Amino acid sequence: EIVLTQSPGTLSLSPGERATLSCRASQSVSSDYLAWFQQKPGQAPRLVMYGASTRATGIPDRFSGSGSGTDFTLTISSLEPEDYAMYYCQRYGSSPYTFGQGTKLEIK
Amino acid sequence: EVQLVESGGGLVQPGGSLKLSCAASGFTFSGSAMHWVRQASGKGLEWVGRIRSKANNYATEYAASVKGRFTISRDDSKNTAYLQMSSLKTEDTAVYYCTRLGFSSGLGYWGQGILVTVSS
């Protein structure tokens, strides 16, 4: 089973700063089947990125995804107040659809 | 408007059973793979399993932690997915979400989540 490890556990940044979130897989993720979700307290998760680098519908272009194989990154170019949340990566395409443990993006 | 509405949650004793339902509207349910994801209080997301569409023979897959105890099914005539949970353990306590993850289209849909508490 592929294990996803996200880092850092918590990222404290100010509005306007650049956020870089990492997701590392224990084995290569085939066909870049890697997604990112955003979750705010009390809400269901929201798809942000899929296929490692394709923004989901309605996601602003300050969000970008990159990476392949075992190392993936979600970047938010200039943080807006609404971006502060938990972020999870997930591999898909074949079972099990493992999630990473999450990165908390908090306001500094 | 897209909606996924879970129902059937509640308190159940260890070893007991519970069946969750997920009623969908606003999108082509019959053509969508449907997943269940759970989240224990204060913890991260855990994928539970999925059921594929009729075109993919309603194939199901499960996380190791629930395999043999949980069963996912669907009724396309009712636009509803189900999660039958049996031999429940205290560690199954969580909010359960049904979701169309949306990786083929970029359109992901989630229910509001429903709480299942396994306790004596």
Side-chain angles (χ1 to χ4, degrees), chain A residues 38-75:
Chain A
Q38 176 193 72
Q39 188 180 32
K40 297 179 180 179
Q43 296 185 16
R46 175 191 185 192
L47 180 65
V48 172
M49 200 75 58
Y50 64 101
S53 61
T54 303
R55 277 188 303 276
T57 301
I59 300 301
D61 61 6
R62 63 180 180 272
F63 287 84
S64 63
S66 63
S68 64
T70 60
D71 289 295
F72 298 88
T73 300
L74 177 70
T75 301

Side-chain angles (χ1 to χ4, degrees), chain B residues 41-99:
Chain B
S41 180
K43 303 297 184 183
L45 302 172
E46 180 185 13
W47 180 79
V48 172
R50 74 154 179 194
I51 185 166
R52 302 186 72 178
S53 66
K54 181 179 180 180
N56 291 287
N57 299 314
Y58 300 124
T60 55
E61 292 170 307
Y62 301 92
S65 59
V66 307
K67 195 170 185 178
R69 300 187 299 122
F70 289 13
T71 302
I72 299 174
S73 60
R74 63 192 296 161
D75 184 340
D76 290 345
S77 69
K78 296 181 179 179
N79 282 357
T80 301
Y82 303 96
L83 178 64
Q84 175 70 53
M85 303 181 290
S86 59
S87 302
L88 282 161
K89 306 175 183 180
T90 55
E91 53 263 41
D92 294 319
T93 295
V95 172
Y96 285 74
Y97 295 99
C98 71
T99 171

Side-chain angles (χ1 to χ4, degrees), chain A residues 69-97:
Chain A
T70 60
D71 289 295
F72 298 88
T73 300
L74 177 70
T75 301
I76 310 171
S77 60
S78 179
L79 285 165
E80 297 286 342
E82 61 268 28
D83 299 335
Y84 293 91
M86 284 293 296
Y87 289 85
Y88 296 93
C89 59
Q90 184 191 30
R91 58 91 59 173
Y92 60 96
S94 62
S95 179
Y97 283 29

